[in-house]
Amino acid sequence: MLAIIATRAGLGLEAPEVQVEVHLANGLPGMTLVGLPEAAVKESRERVRSALVNAGFDFPNTRRIVLNLAPADLPKVGGRFDLPIALGILVASGQLPGEALESIESVGELALDGRLRPITGVLPLAMAARRAGRKLIVPRENADEAALAGDLQVLPADHLLDVMAHLLGQTPIAAHRLAVPPVADGIEGDLAEVRGQHQARRALEIAAAGSHNLLFAGPPGTGKTMLASRLPGILPPLTEDEALEVAAIRSVCGLPLAEQWGRRPFRAPHHTASAVALVGGGSWPRPGEISLAHHGVLFLDELPEFSRHVLEVMREPMESGRIHIARANHERRFPARFQLVAAMNPCPCGHLGDPRQACQCSAAQIQRYQSRLSGPLLDRIDLQIEVPALPPEQLTSRDVGESSAEVRARVMAARERQYARGALNAHLGGRELEAACALSTEDRAWLAGVLERLRLSARAYHRVLRVALTLADLAAKPHPERGELMEAIGYRQLDRQLRQG
């Protein structure tokens, strides 16, 4: 007897279809599992055997059982194949009609008594099952997550007996619906809480409008972290597709989805994080912080304290918006369209240029500290702003700045102009950027002279144009003029200082 059961593997954010083929034949009794299974999948033989016996089903001990997970060249990881393997054995042994599983996929780990245990990464699997037009049987703990996929019939079960009762038509399982559809909680710090720092607030608005990377530099306690944490609150809300992408990444990492649903991610890893923790990896690659920050903000505080190697591995994802992790036997691709916001002190003690306290660092210490940031990395940061210490009268002032809602309205209006061009300014290609800027001959000649004097790279030149174009969008101008170009160049002055040490 031969049975074929549909399920899916989990390869990062992809969920390719896997067919569990079960063949019962005469011969030496035993169970053989083939199809590139790793250790946890091989162990499913014993879990499935015990689950079937303890649930009261007949296990074909006197037959030779061959289990094939096809396609054979696709890596299979985890206990998600337990349920489809058990159903395949029941079909092949005649205890369950094969027609009952038409247009149905199943996934779940089995306990020895037949209970279904939850697995990670259900949302990408559910989205793939929805696209295939099939129903999906999942452990009950995974039902809410699977239902986020939208127009999908999710059948939650607690036990193997529940699954069999449904498939035999004895006790149908009701399709699961979310009791309360997830909504964004909107809990974000308000920009009105920031005192003073008008230039930094302006830079934050520009960064939000054009999705530009941003660097704050200044003494301790000047509000750099507070400013960075306000960026998600002035960004437009996630679309439904973006929210699903963000949730799928969290699902693969085994993180809860409800508490962050619909919110722009804000990830702030510690400066001791490794390269694998930041960009992803491992023997079975998993997403890193840059992927968890997809469609959101990656905040790196104390930027020079990060290992230089760790920072350099971010350079390619900052340009491409994705990360490709290759291993000897497999590879993974994860999205990483994040917005980098970084903060740093100007020197090791943090008080270089601080009127409140004298710097205690030598020139060599300052140069060594600032040189931890490479030129190519700085080139990729569009806006670089000094955040000075505030005078006491500004700290104690009751004046309240603009709220996040007011700034967000301008940001969304600027982004609408960019979407009409086809992409956010930070993601425009060189040809599209030049066409959108449409600089006059005089402005082009003036800009070339300034770039020569400042010794900025070709990449920095395009970054200046992108920022200038965002400034024009905020001002509702058709293209940037001399004023926008001058302001955009002003945001590269810190770059020049850091390069000079």
Side-chain angles (χ1 to χ4, degrees):
M1 293 290 293
L2 176 66
I4 300 177
I5 309 298
T7 185
R8 292 188 181 273
L11 300 181
L13 297 186
E14 300 175 2
E17 182 176 349
V18 171
Q19 292 187 335
V20 178
E21 302 173 341
V22 182
H23 182 229
L24 299 187
N26 297 322
L28 188 65
M31 185 187 299
T32 303
L33 181 59
V34 296
L36 202 60
E38 56 92 42
V41 181
K42 291 179 180 178
E43 293 168 356
S44 67
R45 292 177 297 187
E46 305 307 321
R47 290 196 298 270
V48 169
R49 184 197 304 269
S50 297
L52 289 174
V53 171
N54 290 323
F57 298 106
D58 292 330
F59 187 83
N61 289 305
T62 61
R63 308 289 297 277
R64 178 169 180 78
I65 306 172
V66 179
L67 302 171
N68 180 40
L69 305 182
D73 60 347
L74 191 71
K76 322 297 190 307
V77 184
R80 65 177 59 211
F81 302 102
D82 289 4
L83 178 58
I85 287 174
L87 294 177
I89 292 175
L90 290 171
V91 171
S93 60
Q95 301 175 71
L96 176 67
E99 297 79 13
L101 283 160
E102 289 183 0
S103 300
I104 292 180
E105 297 182 8
S106 59
V107 65
E109 181 180 332
L110 285 173
L112 298 185
D113 60 358
R115 287 180 294 112
L116 286 175
R117 288 179 172 150
I119 63 170
T120 60
V122 165
L123 183 54
L125 185 150
M127 293 167 67
R130 181 197 64 188
R131 290 190 294 269
R134 294 172 177 163
K135 303 173 186 177
L136 180 63
I137 299 176
V138 297
R140 187 169 299 278
E141 289 88 342
N142 291 132
D144 281 348
E145 182 178 332
L148 292 174
D151 187 17
L152 170 69
Q153 191 168 351
V154 178
L155 306 175
D158 296 303
H159 198 279
L160 179 59
L161 291 172
D162 300 333
V163 178
M164 286 294 290
H166 172 81
L167 296 175
L168 293 172
Q170 299 168 352
T171 308
I173 299 174
H176 183 76
R177 293 289 182 268
L178 291 172
V180 180
V183 294
D185 56 26
I187 300 175
E188 303 283 358
D190 200 289
L191 196 57
E193 300 167 357
V194 178
R195 303 286 183 177
Q197 303 297 3
H198 301 295
Q199 187 182 24
R201 289 170 59 102
R202 168 74 167 167
L204 202 65
E205 180 177 342
I206 298 167
S211 192
H212 301 290
N213 299 322
L214 174 62
L215 171 63
F216 291 128
T222 56
K224 301 186 294 295
T225 301
M226 185 178 187
L227 282 161
S229 67
R230 297 317 187 255
L231 179 55
I234 64 175
L235 291 170
L238 290 172
T239 65
E240 184 177 350
D241 288 343
E242 289 174 340
L244 279 175
E245 286 184 40
V246 171
I249 296 170
R250 293 181 62 84
S251 172
V252 170
C253 294
L255 299 175
L257 308 186
E259 64 188 36
Q260 295 289 332
W261 176 261
R263 293 178 60 184
R264 294 273 177 182
F266 183 84
R267 304 293 300 183
H270 193 261
H271 63 258
T272 56
S274 66
V276 170
L278 198 63
V279 304
S283 56
W284 294 99
R286 292 167 58 88
E289 291 291 337
I290 64 172
S291 294
L292 287 167
H294 184 56
H295 291 313
V297 177
L298 177 68
F299 177 52
L300 301 185
D301 200 5
E302 306 295 345
L303 185 65
E305 299 297 337
F306 282 81
S307 163
R308 181 157 182 164
H309 167 68
V310 170
L311 295 178
E312 294 305 299
V313 297
M314 290 198 309
R315 283 162 44 184
E316 291 84 359
M318 287 172 69
E319 293 283 347
S320 65
R322 59 184 180 273
I323 181 69
H324 179 199
I325 301 171
R327 295 293 180 265
N329 297 322
H330 47 267
E331 60 183 36
R332 300 286 187 276
R333 290 178 176 84
F334 299 113
R337 182 63 74 189
F338 63 94
Q339 191 170 349
L340 175 65
V341 180
M344 62 175 289
N345 295 328
C347 65
C349 78
H351 297 289
L352 179 65
D354 187 353
R356 303 168 302 176
Q357 186 173 340
C359 175
Q360 304 297 319
C361 305
S362 66
Q365 288 176 318
I366 295 172
Q367 194 278 333
R368 187 163 54 249
Y369 180 79
Q370 295 182 349
S371 66
R372 295 179 185 176
L373 305 180
S374 69
L377 178 65
L378 290 172
D379 268 352
R380 289 169 168 81
I381 302 179
D382 306 347
L383 302 162
Q384 300 163 11
I385 301 297
E386 288 192 64
V387 184
L390 291 178
E393 57 270 18
Q394 282 194 358
L395 285 173
T396 57
S397 173
R398 292 188 176 182
D399 293 339
V400 178
E402 286 185 300
S403 67
S404 292
E406 294 174 288
V407 177
R408 189 189 309 118
R410 292 197 298 270
V411 167
M412 293 177 69
R415 286 198 170 203
E416 285 300 321
R417 298 183 182 94
Q418 295 168 50
Y419 289 136
R421 286 195 293 264
L424 294 176
N425 291 336
H427 309 149
L428 278 178
R431 183 178 301 175
E432 294 82 3
L433 179 62
E434 294 281 355
C437 288
L439 297 181
S440 65
T441 303
E442 294 79 7
D443 285 343
R444 193 174 296 277
W446 175 84
L447 181 58
V450 173
L451 294 175
E452 177 65 25
R453 290 195 299 273
L454 296 180
R455 298 180 181 178
L456 295 181
S457 68
R459 180 182 286 113
Y461 160 68
H462 284 103
R463 299 282 176 174
V464 167
L465 286 185
R466 289 188 174 95
V467 172
L469 187 56
T470 300
L471 291 168
D473 290 331
L474 286 168
K477 293 182 178 180
H479 55 80
E481 300 174 354
R482 184 72 60 89
E484 287 75 36
L485 292 172
M486 292 177 66
E487 183 176 355
I489 289 172
Y491 293 124
R492 307 293 307 190
Q493 296 305 301
L494 182 59
D495 181 356
R496 186 184 179 196
Q497 294 174 22
L498 292 173
R499 290 173 187 272
Q500 292 174 348

